[in-house]
Amino acid sequence: TVKLWNVGTGELIRVFNHDNWVRSVVFSSDGKQLASGSNDNTVRIWDIQNFAFQFYLILINIALIFAIYRQLFLKYFCS
């Protein structure tokens, strides 16, 4: 589970669910998307502005998880 909080008010804004432990989270450079990687072997992309789930990848093994996550990070979050 990923929880998005308003740090000014302490209000819980949104909960983004996975089926297992979340291992990593990163925001896009424009702050409009969030990517979360989990032990459920998925990387999920969330639209922060609309609080909507966009898509996810189901991954087979840990090496593939890191390779794909790195590529997603470079493509969507570093440009």
Side-chain angles (χ1 to χ4, degrees), residues 15-69:
V15 175
F16 303 98
N17 290 314
H18 274 275
D19 296 329
N20 208 319
W21 292 95
V22 174
R23 305 283 283 169
S24 56
V25 175
V26 64
F27 284 94
S28 63
S29 58
D30 62 7
K32 295 179 181 178
Q33 295 176 311
L34 175 122
S36 55
S38 169
N39 281 357
D40 63 8
N41 294 329
T42 65
V43 173
R44 298 177 190 224
I45 308 297
W46 311 90
D47 181 333
I48 297 299
Q49 291 182 323
N50 300 317
F51 304 114
F53 171 74
Q54 290 185 306
F55 66 91
Y56 70 96
L57 302 168
I58 299 174
L59 306 168
I60 306 303
N61 64 43
I62 196 70
L64 185 58
I65 290 171
F66 287 118
I68 292 175
Y69 194 73

